Amino acid sequence: MNPLEKRLTDALHAEVAVDPARLERTVLEVRAIAQPQRIGFGKFILMQVWFSGVRMWIWQGAVLLFLVYALNLVQVNATLLFTLRLLPFLLGCCGVVAVTAAVPLVYRSVRYRMRETEFPCYFSGGQQLLARLLFILLGLLLTWAVAIGMVVGHRWLGFGCAVLYVCVPSCVAACGYLTLLTQTKWEWLPALGGALSGGMMLAMRLMLHFEWYPKQFGMGSAVLCVGLVLLCAVQVRRLVRTGSAAMG
């Protein structure tokens, strides 16, 4: 037996006087430490401001700055007719990039290999994903409002057309990414998401070339916008309630 083992053996067999008051304080302190600190889902969402919201808003703010720069560049160096023709493409790209910029936030637990730590938490994986999606939605709404307000304020487009050109590409991209979250694994999300965003921008470039963009906001456009929003809501509900391949 080495000296350390001997000291430990002697300490274990030594009789020590127990102080009841000290023992009671120790028990109370242990209970206080072991007591789980429960928080409501509302407070959990507010906590995402620091952990999730700030980074995502910085990215989407960068998208807005790029849009402002692109619109000013086009306005200075092109005719008014060309500017109005290019606006749908620029606004659509703004909407797609705003959604795409938030994707790293959604699957960051996989990138940092933290899924095993997050899953035993009080809130389920679906609830954690919902909190992130809510902040993505808030940033996306802000992006829409600034882009639409800027275009309408300069009287480049009417309000209906601005909504159509900004919101429809954003909602299509959001539906695509939510579908990927529902049907695919986390590891495939960056590659498939990049292909989705690139394909949408290519499609919008072809629409610009062949002048396939609608010139006014009609009943069909309104139905399309509402349908895409409802589809996104249904997909989010499915993610939260039943989970997805991405969450497991």
Side-chain angles (χ1 to χ4, degrees):
M1 181 180 297
N2 59 46
L4 176 61
E5 292 177 347
K6 187 176 184 306
R7 288 200 302 271
L8 289 175
T9 302
D10 294 341
L12 290 173
H13 289 86
E15 294 185 4
V16 180
V18 178
D19 184 354
R22 183 176 180 182
L23 179 61
E24 183 66 23
R25 288 197 303 270
T26 302
V27 171
L28 293 176
E29 290 176 1
V30 171
R31 286 178 179 175
I33 295 173
Q35 179 106 23
Q37 300 295 323
R38 303 296 188 188
I39 61 173
F41 187 63
K43 185 176 180 180
F44 177 71
I45 293 177
L46 292 177
M47 290 172 62
Q48 302 303 307
V49 172
W50 176 253
F51 293 106
S52 303
V54 174
R55 294 181 181 179
M56 184 267 298
W57 290 335
I58 291 174
W59 278 105
Q60 292 181 332
V63 172
L64 284 176
L65 290 177
F66 172 77
L67 177 65
V68 172
Y69 174 77
L71 290 177
N72 290 333
L73 187 65
V74 170
Q75 185 184 23
V76 170
N77 296 281
T79 64
L80 181 61
L81 178 62
F82 184 73
T83 302
L84 295 178
R85 181 172 174 267
L86 190 60
L87 270 176
F89 175 72
L90 290 176
L91 293 175
C93 288
C94 173
V96 173
V97 174
V99 175
T100 305
V103 173
L105 170 67
V106 177
Y107 79 106
R108 67 178 183 177
S109 59
V110 178
R111 289 187 294 129
Y112 298 126
R113 299 180 181 180
M114 294 293 293
R115 281 187 299 176
E116 293 78 6
T117 305
E118 291 183 350
F119 284 162
C121 295
Y122 177 73
F123 295 104
S124 66
Q127 290 175 315
Q128 295 174 44
L129 180 61
L130 176 62
R132 295 173 187 171
L133 291 177
L134 287 175
F135 272 93
I136 291 173
L137 174 62
L138 183 58
L140 192 59
L141 291 175
L142 179 61
T143 303
W144 288 356
V146 173
I148 293 172
M150 182 170 51
V151 172
V152 174
H154 283 80
R155 297 182 180 179
W156 289 330
L157 291 173
F159 179 77
C161 286
V163 170
L164 175 65
Y165 298 149
V166 174
C167 297
V168 169
S170 298
C171 290
V172 171
C175 286
Y177 277 110
L178 288 171
T179 300
L180 293 178
L181 284 172
T182 306
Q183 302 296 333
T184 65
K185 295 181 179 180
W186 280 113
E187 291 76 12
W188 301 351
L189 184 60
L192 294 178
L196 171 65
S197 299
M200 287 193 62
M201 290 187 181
L202 178 60
M204 289 188 294
R205 181 64 182 85
L206 292 175
M207 292 176 66
L208 172 65
H209 178 75
F210 293 105
E211 298 186 2
W212 289 343
Y213 278 99
K215 300 298 188 295
Q216 60 183 0
F217 187 86
M219 181 60 67
S221 301
V223 172
L224 177 61
C225 291
V226 173
L228 288 172
V229 171
L230 292 177
L231 180 59
C232 288
V234 170
Q235 289 175 309
V236 169
R237 183 172 180 269
R238 181 183 177 187
L239 281 172
V240 175
R241 291 191 61 184
T242 63
S244 66
M247 292 306 297

